[in-house]
């Protein structure tokens, strides 16, 4: 069966980090934890991508050498310390639910001010060189 996995706590991944085939969710979870070198107390979700049964299986890393996993419950985003059962979502739901925001204009504004400073300094430098060259010509004549 095909499975997908992503971290849910302490860092929440926006997309599915690993997708592959395995015999069951536990085997896939062990493979994901080993490949991603997850630390102790990291929680993640494994979801079956084929068939009608698309239930989410939550796991927590209990030990790292060798990796030992234990079942976990889903953490709600509103209260990260309280464990609650979350609704099952498909990967398509996550992509559609991504918030759309205004682009950050701070870098653009910063670049405009920087280029303005460069233009002012260059213009002042050219004007000073013109005055200096004309003074040097009068002195040498």
């Amino acid at each position: 069966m095909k499975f997908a996995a992503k971290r849910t706590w302490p860092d929440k991944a926006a997309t599915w980090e690993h997708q592959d085939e395995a015999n069951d969710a536990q085997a896939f979870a062990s493979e994901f934890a080993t490949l991603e070198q997850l630390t102790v107390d990291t929680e993640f979700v494994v979801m079956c991508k084929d068939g009608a049964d698309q239930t989410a299986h939550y796991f927590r890393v209990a030990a790292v050498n060798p990796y030992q996993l234990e079942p976990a419950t889903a953490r709600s985003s509103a209260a990260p310390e309280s464990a609650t059962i979350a609704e099952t979502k498909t990967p398509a739901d996550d992509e559609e639910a991504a918030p759309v925001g205004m682009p950050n204009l701070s870098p653009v504004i910063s670049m405009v001010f920087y280029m303005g400073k460069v233009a002012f300094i260059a213009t002042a430098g050219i004007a000073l060189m013109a005055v200096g060259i004309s003074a040097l010509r009068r002195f040498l004549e």
Side-chain angles (χ1 to χ4, degrees):
M1 294 194 308
K2 291 184 180 181
F3 291 95
K6 66 179 176 179
R7 284 176 257 208
T8 58
W9 193 86
D11 299 321
K12 186 174 182 177
T15 61
W16 295 102
E17 297 178 80
H18 185 66
Q19 298 181 26
D20 204 359
E21 293 187 13
N23 293 335
D24 61 353
Q26 180 72 33
F28 183 78
S30 297
E31 177 186 340
F32 174 67
T34 304
L35 288 175
E36 294 294 325
Q37 298 180 349
L38 301 179
T39 58
V40 175
D41 290 333
T42 300
E43 294 182 9
F44 59 97
V45 63
V46 172
M47 186 169 180
C48 179
K49 293 189 76 166
D50 332 336
D53 183 29
Q54 290 193 348
T55 58
H57 303 278
Y58 292 88
F59 294 95
R60 185 175 77 80
V61 178
V64 291
N65 197 7
Y67 275 98
Q68 294 177 355
L69 304 175
E70 59 186 31
T73 55
R75 292 179 183 251
S76 69
S77 59
E81 295 301 318
S82 66
T84 60
I85 297 175
E87 66 182 62
T88 304
K89 292 184 178 180
T90 63
D93 290 341
D94 288 342
E95 292 171 4
E96 291 173 9
V100 177
M102 289 292 295
N104 188 0
L105 295 178
S106 177
V108 174
I109 294 169
S110 189
M111 182 196 63
V112 168
F113 281 127
Y114 174 75
M115 295 305 287
K117 287 186 228 176
V118 168
F120 176 76
I121 291 170
T123 305
I126 291 170
L128 286 175
M129 285 191 320
V131 170
I133 290 173
S134 65
L136 184 62
R137 276 189 180 166
R138 274 190 247 127
F139 176 72
L140 292 175
E141 289 180 354

